[in-house]
Amino acid sequence: MWQLPGVWLGRVILLTLALQCPGTAAQANDASPSPEPGNVQDTAPSQVLLEITDPTSGETVELNRKDLQALPAATLTTSTVVTDGTHEFRGFLMRDLLEQMNIPGSQVTAIALNDYAVNIPVKDFYRFDVIVAYAMDGKRLTRSGKGPLWIVYPRDAHRALQDIRYDYRWVWQLYRLEVQ
């Protein structure tokens, strides 16, 4: 008879802990916005999706969805090494972003939400039509689907892009660019 309240109390404690621990299903479904860059739970146009560090001034510029969608749109149909088949990606050319922001440099460090970082030569953006995608197959990219931003190379259009070193440059869940 005393075990029933103990079992009930144990379940209440477990449920309370589950609601307070990061990464639990309860929090994953929480619709409250987070200040973390790239969090697509808050889909407000003013939410910061991409940060860019200017090497000249050292300042960080924050861009939201509205800012990014104001850039000339680009589409690209290609296969990836992490998905099946070919997909149509929509976004903007990386070179357009750098030119629009008037940020000089020879290399960009692209950083993902999970802190994955890779250095990409700026010459890639002029040699190939590299885009920062915000949609795939007509649907907005989400965090669980490699978004909200994904660097995509036109790998099917250039034999050179079949090389694995380019595969490492496909940064999904992109949230920061540091130009050097």
Side-chain angles (χ1 to χ4, degrees):
M1 188 155 153
W2 288 101
Q3 288 186 0
L4 182 58
V7 170
W8 179 81
L9 182 59
R11 287 184 180 164
V12 169
I13 290 171
L14 286 175
L15 180 59
T16 302
L17 289 173
L19 290 172
Q20 293 176 355
C21 292
T24 63
Q27 281 195 342
N29 292 326
D30 183 6
S32 60
S34 168
E36 181 181 352
N39 183 348
V40 295
Q41 291 173 335
D42 176 10
T43 58
S46 62
Q47 178 191 6
V48 174
L49 293 183
L50 184 63
E51 299 174 355
I52 304 174
T53 302
D54 183 335
T56 308
S57 67
E59 292 182 20
T60 298
V61 178
E62 296 179 337
L63 301 172
N64 58 38
R65 185 172 306 283
K66 186 177 174 184
D67 297 329
L68 298 175
Q69 290 179 336
L71 291 164
T75 58
L76 167 63
T77 301
T78 193
S79 63
T80 81
V81 295
V82 294
T83 60
D84 294 328
T86 60
H87 300 278
E88 182 183 78
F89 295 92
R90 182 172 180 80
F92 52 89
L93 292 170
M94 182 71 90
R95 65 177 170 255
D96 287 350
L97 174 66
L98 295 177
E99 289 171 4
Q100 180 77 25
M101 307 266 327
N102 195 28
I103 299 178
S106 60
Q107 176 176 277
V108 171
T109 301
I111 304 169
L113 290 171
N114 67 356
D115 292 327
Y116 173 79
V118 65
N119 294 326
I120 303 173
V122 169
K123 66 182 179 183
D124 276 12
F125 309 141
Y126 292 90
R127 184 174 176 203
F128 309 110
D129 288 336
V130 178
I131 70 169
V132 176
Y134 46 72
M136 181 174 77
D137 298 329
K139 297 179 183 172
R140 183 184 292 176
L141 289 169
T142 63
R143 252 179 118 165
S144 61
K146 311 267 188 259
L149 301 173
W150 187 3
I151 295 177
V152 178
Y153 278 74
R155 78 185 313 270
D156 293 350
H158 301 276
R159 185 175 175 91
L161 294 177
Q162 304 299 314
D163 188 307
I164 193 167
R165 73 184 137 170
Y166 290 102
D167 294 336
Y168 291 118
R169 298 175 188 173
W170 288 57
V171 178
W172 57 76
Q173 294 184 336
L174 174 70
Y175 90 94
R176 185 173 181 81
L177 297 172
E178 295 177 355
V179 184
Q180 294 103 30

